[in-house]
Every structure is written in structure tokens, then in C-alpha cells.
Amino acid sequence: MSEVTSAPSLAKRLRTILSSDSVAVLMEAHNGLSAKLAAEAGFQALWGSGLSISAALGVRDNNEASWTQVLEVLEFMVDAAELPILLDGDTGYGNFNNVRRLVRKLEQRRVAGVCLEDKLFPKTNSFIDGERQALAEVDEFCGKMRAAKDTQLDPDFVVVARTEAFIAGWGLDEALLRAHAYAEAGADVILVHSKRKDSREILSFMEQWDDRAPVVIVPTKYPTEPISRFVRSGITNFIFANQSLRTVITALQQNLRTLKETQDLMSVENDIAPVSEIFRLQNVQELKTSEERYLPSSAQDEARAVVLAASKGDFGELVKDRPKAMLRLRGKPIMTWHTDAFRRQGIRRIAAVRGYCKDAIDLADIQYFDNDEWASTGELASLYTAREFLQGDLVIAYGDIVFDEFILRNLLAQTDGIGIAVDGGWKLRERADAKRDLVITEGAYDPVGLSECKLVAIGEGVAPEQAAGEWIGLAHFRADKTAVLVKLLDQLGKEAPEALRTGALPMLLGRLVAAGETVSVAHTFGHWYDLDEQKDLLLASAQVKS
Ligand code: SPV
Ligand code: MG
């Protein structure tokens, strides 16, 4: 019997983090993007900072943003990061009754816990005139704690009690008294806050704290104190409460000043994230994939092209940090030569299969599929990673060729069902390498495409003396034949998985012919370049038409 397991809830994750003996940092976030970036940086939990969220909204940390506005921000953060978030719930936005509704709404939005502080509504940030801030009555605050604990439906939802006794200048005894009372009233964790520049208050607190609940601290004002000092005192939970927001402020101030002064986009261009990075963070890819699935097929009938760009290539140092499809030819990546040509022919839906150095292929407006086993698999395996994209009118292109655009234009115009572009002048290209996709055809060489010429055999087994040309690595399928192609790939996957894993495209074309499909030939005479090594790149740079 298979065991059903489900991932722990966000609340459970927060509870585990805060109650474990390992050091944990709750990283501040103030919107969906900063939450996502913190998750990508490896933080396991977030602090929904009142200071940072209010500042990001352009208001003060004085409950000027309503609690439902804060809740909206939190909802975006949870969805973006899928991390447990401890909300800085200030004073609970009112009395025990407001706390109850807050807890209910937080749980509904999968916020993992709330931290309530013993001040009065509307609160003021702890670092502004701390001594003048009034503290809540202990009993009243304990009532809020009990109300929160009684309200939560998920037993793992975390309620943190924060005492501001040190902030308000009431001293150690008051801090201890309050912390004990709050733990007694049900608080899961105690936050003891200090605005001293050293660890003195916190360490004196820890000397007398009886560990009846874990402690968390916010070392904003004492950043020079090493975390290890607190760990030795028994604290393992730390809130980095505002460093993301401060990072944003510094970066924005600097670049906005520069842009204002220079009025030159290039003055910042190389120091800021590319637009493609925004798309990645927004997970644009997922939407593209879902469109394939859910949009009506008329939208899918639009012509599309897929570029196979998973391989590394024999380019030595040149491909140290990028695949050959990203090598530059006359200043633009090889892949951009493809995409420009496709777009000029009205093909806007373009996909690329990446493998080697996949992160180096980051051109915008391309749908990416990844063949992570590129080193041990072949072209068909790469093509198959893009299976869901293989529909409608489809061009398949090798990522390591460049071609004059008329070849693509002719191929598109001449294909009825399945077509390939073949070089009739292949013999003129002197090359020692044996890896050429030679073809035998039936019908005359005809660059204008007036007479019929079709594929008889291709690839391994075609001897040079029989060959009528060389396939250049461009194929075109009309929509009904794309369906045939996918069927064949699926069938291979079932009946000959090793062939699918390691096979090359000529094998597939050969199988289509063997299955009775007509593969028509669009001719060229040169005007394309097979980029296998550096000298090919040099030759193409000198000759290709831009
Ligand atoms: C916050 O981040 O809003 C906090 C921590 O409450 S502090 O600003 O240090 O009070
Ligand atoms: Mg706060």
C-alpha cells in the first residue's frame, strides 16, 4: 500500500524552526518580490516587518496602513515565496477582539504566525522616542495572547509575544515579569527587544530566563554583536528586520541619482537586473506552458519554431561559460540569428531546448525547455523535452547553424506536409569531418522549388557517392504532420526508449519516410554554415548576410 505523505504546513515549518536548537534567521520581506528573493537566497522563514511593509507602501510605521492592507501584502508574500512568514502584527490593531479576527484572517491566508507587542494602538516604531512609549497593561496583553491561542484553528500557528520593556526603559525585572506572564498566557515564543548598541540587556535577560519558551531577538541596533554570543546565551532565533528594504533604498537612491544626472540609460544598464530576470522571477515560463494547455487551439495554430541548443560544441575556451548557440556572430548570439529570422517570417512562438550552461541562454520572449541530461543524450531526447510545444505549424532547427534567410522562406513556402532544407552544393564545402547528414533524394535539384523533390534516405548509411545533398538542420512540419511527428516520438518512447534517448533527427526523418510519409526537399546551394568549431565561426562571420 502506498503511503500518503503531505508537505508540512507553513505554520508547522515555522514552529519547527523556532523551537529547534539550530540557528534560524527570519529574513525581512516587504512584498512578493522581496519574499521571493529571500527564498531564493536560501532563507527558511520570513519576517513580515511592520516597518518595512509600511515604508514600502510609502507610509509611517504608525498603523497608517490598515491591517487589511497589510494582509493583502502578506498574501502576495506567501504566494510568491511559499515560506513560513511571521507577521509583525504590532499591537494586534486593537484589543483582544481585533486580535481574534486578525488570527483568523492570517490563518486563512497561510501566514504561519503573528508577533504581538505590548504597546498601545496606534503604535510607534520602537526606535522612535522609545522611552516615551506607553506599555500595555500586563493583564490586558495576556488577554490578547489567550484570545489569539484560543482562536487559531491550526495548532501549529505560532503566536509570539514581544515585550518592549527595555525599549520603554522599564528595565530587566519588568522584561522578565512580562515575558513570564506572556509565556504563561500561552505565547509560543518570546521576543525581547532592545535598542542598546550592545548585547547587555539581552544577555542579562537570558541569564535569568528559565527557558519556558524559546526567545527571538531583533539585532538591528546592535549589529556588531556576533550572533555566536547570543547563541551561547541560549538564543537561536534571529530576526533580520529591515535589511532587504534598506538594500533597496540604497540601490534605488544611487541609480536614480545617476539616471537623473546623466539622462543616459547606459549609465546603469550593466549594473541592474536584465528584464529577462524579472520575467524569470515572475515565472512567465509557467504561464506560457499553461497557455499551451488551456488556450483554445486556434491560438496554438500560430506557427512556431523550436531550436535545439543543448550541446556544448568543440569551441574550447569560447564555450567555457556558454553553449555554442550563445556564441556571438557579428556581435549577436547565434540563437538570435535564428529568432530574428523566424520573427521576420512571422513565427513568433519560439522555444529553445537548453542543456549545457543553460542559464547562459537567457534571451527574452523565448520559451525554454531543459534537457538536463544533455551530456549523455541526443537530439531526440532534447526535442522530446519540448513535447508540449510540438504542435501546429512547426519549424525545427539545429542551434549550431546559421543560414541565409531565403532558405527558411523557401522551406516555409514549399512545404506541404513535411519539408527539409537541403544543400545541393555540399561537395563544395571542403570538410574532413564525417558527421554530415547526407541525403538521397528522388527528383531533380531545383532551387526554385517548381519541380517535386523528395527525401528517400538520410544520415547514416548514405555514402557520399550516392548523396544528392546535405540536410542543413532545418525542418518544417505542417500542423497535421507535427501531430504525426509527436505520435512517432511517443511510440519510440514506448517501444524503443534507448532510440529516443540517444537518437538524432535524421533517424526520425528516416523513420517518417519508412512509415510512408512524404518529406519534401527545399534546395539551397550553400548560403548556410554548420558551426562545429572556431574556424566555422570565422568563416560564417565573414560571409553570412545580416
Ligand atoms: C519591524 O520590523 O517592524 C519591527 C522590528 O517591529 S523594529 O523595527 O526593530 O521594531
Ligand atoms: Mg514593527
Side-chain angles (χ1 to χ4, degrees):
M1 216 172 78
S2 70
E3 202 179 313
V4 181
T5 53
S6 57
S9 71
L10 295 176
K12 172 103 193 152
R13 280 159 62 186
L14 182 63
R15 177 167 290 273
T16 307
I17 287 168
L18 291 174
S19 52
S20 100
D21 290 339
S22 330
V23 172
V25 171
L26 274 61
M27 186 64 216
E28 170 258 313
H30 47 273
N31 56 23
L33 180 61
S34 57
K36 178 145 194 170
L37 291 173
E40 289 195 347
F43 290 98
Q44 299 295 311
L46 300 178
W47 168 244
S49 159
L51 174 65
S52 299
I53 291 174
S54 60
L57 291 172
V59 296
R60 284 173 288 241
D61 188 14
N62 291 66
N63 299 121
E64 290 182 351
S66 73
W67 72 275
T68 54
Q69 287 171 325
V70 172
L71 203 58
E72 296 259 299
V73 175
L74 263 281
E75 186 172 22
F76 280 106
M77 286 165 54
V78 173
D79 288 344
E82 284 295 328
L83 281 186
I85 302 179
L86 177 64
L87 170 66
D88 172 5
D90 293 343
T91 58
Y93 311 102
N95 70 4
F96 80 93
N97 191 36
N98 304 86
V99 166
R100 291 194 301 190
R101 189 158 170 81
L102 174 66
V103 168
R104 204 168 316 133
K105 293 295 143 188
L106 289 176
E107 283 200 288
Q108 284 168 3
R109 296 185 194 208
R110 298 193 302 137
V111 177
V114 67
C115 173
L116 300 174
E117 64 194 50
D118 52 3
K119 292 206 304 236
L120 304 181
F121 179 88
K123 53 71 59 87
T124 301
N125 185 271
S126 304
F127 302 141
I128 301 172
D129 297 336
E131 273 84 7
R132 288 177 41 209
Q133 297 198 18
L135 294 191
E137 292 293 331
V138 175
D139 286 349
E140 194 263 343
F141 191 74
C142 286
K144 279 185 183 172
M145 282 295 113
R146 290 201 310 274
K149 294 306 293 178
D150 288 347
T151 302
Q152 71 185 68
L153 296 175
D154 180 348
D156 289 318
F157 183 83
V158 177
V159 178
V160 178
R162 159 172 167 174
T163 180
E164 297 276 288
F166 284 131
I167 297 286
W170 291 43
L172 176 62
D173 290 345
E174 183 71 17
L176 283 165
L177 179 150
R178 284 174 176 262
H180 281 141
Y182 303 160
E184 219 42 52
D188 300 300
V189 177
I190 299 296
L191 191 162
V192 54
H193 206 12
S194 167
K195 59 182 166 50
R196 281 190 66 90
K197 288 198 165 27
D198 58 35
S199 54
R200 213 174 317 153
E201 282 173 342
I202 301 293
L203 294 184
S204 67
F205 178 90
M206 288 310 289
E207 267 168 31
Q208 300 201 37
W209 177 242
D210 58 7
D211 275 345
R212 69 177 72 178
V215 170
V216 59
I217 60 171
V218 184
T220 305
K221 286 285 177 183
Y222 41 95
T224 55
E225 294 280 357
I227 291 295
S228 54
R229 180 164 299 162
F230 299 110
V231 174
R232 278 197 297 278
S233 80
I235 300 172
T236 56
N237 300 313
F238 301 89
I239 292 173
F240 289 2
N242 44 46
Q243 287 69 20
S244 284
L245 184 81
R246 287 161 61 196
T247 303
V248 172
I249 291 173
T250 304
L252 268 181
Q253 283 173 332
Q254 186 176 320
N255 282 359
L256 294 181
R257 204 178 306 125
T258 305
L259 282 170
K260 178 72 176 62
E261 274 164 17
T262 63
Q263 303 210 333
D264 175 5
L265 292 178
M266 284 313 292
S267 63
V268 299
E269 183 66 19
N270 295 324
D271 300 326
I272 58 181
V275 174
S276 59
E277 176 63 359
I278 307 175
F279 294 152
R280 187 191 68 77
L281 288 162
Q282 290 174 310
N283 206 357
V284 166
Q285 181 75 39
E286 188 281 331
L287 179 58
K288 287 190 175 165
T289 306
S290 295
E291 281 172 357
E292 310 293 340
R293 225 188 195 160
Y294 301 119
L295 279 183
S297 57
S298 59
Q300 294 172 20
D301 287 344
E302 216 184 317
R304 46 181 76 195
V306 58
V307 183
L308 303 182
S311 66
K312 178 180 178 190
D314 289 331
F315 286 82
E317 275 292 289
L318 286 182
V319 290
K320 188 171 69 194
D321 57 358
R322 69 192 67 184
K324 59 181 168 178
M326 288 305 281
L327 291 177
R328 286 180 177 267
L329 187 69
R330 297 240 200 101
K332 70 180 182 186
I334 293 168
M335 178 95 94
T336 306
W337 287 82
H338 287 82
T339 54
D340 285 353
F342 292 142
R343 291 196 176 108
R344 278 195 290 266
Q345 294 305 316
I347 302 174
R348 284 182 299 273
R349 296 178 69 115
I350 302 170
V353 180
R354 309 180 294 189
Y356 172 69
C357 279
K358 62 182 178 188
D359 293 336
I361 305 188
D362 57 356
L363 305 173
D365 296 328
I366 295 184
Q367 186 170 348
Y368 291 112
F369 297 92
D370 294 333
N371 176 7
D372 290 324
E373 290 177 32
W374 59 273
S376 59
T377 61
E379 293 158 13
L380 293 190
S382 286
L383 184 64
Y384 207 54
T385 62
R387 186 191 179 285
E388 68 193 43
F389 184 84
L390 308 179
Q391 46 187 296
D393 208 76
L394 178 76
V395 172
I396 301 175
Y398 283 161
D400 59 354
I401 54 170
V402 274
F403 45 85
D404 283 1
E405 217 165 299
F406 76 85
I407 302 179
L408 175 64
R409 199 166 48 238
N410 287 352
L411 177 66
L412 292 174
Q414 290 174 27
T415 306
D416 274 338
I418 307 173
I420 57 172
V422 165
D423 181 12
W426 64 283
K427 283 187 181 148
L428 298 180
R429 294 193 309 120
E430 265 192 50
R431 338 187 18 138
D433 71 60
K435 217 195 136 290
R436 318 184 67 167
D437 299 324
L438 299 180
V439 299
I440 299 175
T441 57
E442 186 185 302
Y445 164 76
D446 175 11
V448 196
L450 292 177
S451 58
E452 271 223 343
C453 181
K454 62 182 192 178
L455 181 69
V456 175
I458 178 167
E460 278 169 26
V462 176
E465 45 293 355
Q466 306 168 283
E470 176 181 3
W471 180 48
I472 77 164
L474 264 184
H476 178 207
F477 291 76
R478 293 282 175 211
D480 54 333
K481 297 301 175 187
T482 302
V484 172
L485 168 82
V486 171
K487 211 164 141 203
L488 180 57
L489 286 168
D490 286 344
Q491 196 185 337
L492 269 182
K494 276 201 203 97
E495 294 166 10
E498 199 47 29
L500 182 65
R501 240 177 62 76
T502 57
L505 277 176
M507 185 261 267
L508 194 70
L509 292 167
R511 287 200 181 218
L512 285 165
V513 171
E517 295 292 339
T518 299
V519 176
S520 62
V521 168
H523 279 111
T524 177
F525 201 88
H527 297 278
W528 70 287
Y529 306 88
D530 192 2
L531 306 174
D532 284 332
E533 50 188 297
Q534 201 169 348
K535 72 173 165 29
D536 301 326
L537 205 56
L538 293 174
L539 182 73
S541 291
Q543 297 185 353
V544 74
K545 282 205 204 112
S546 49

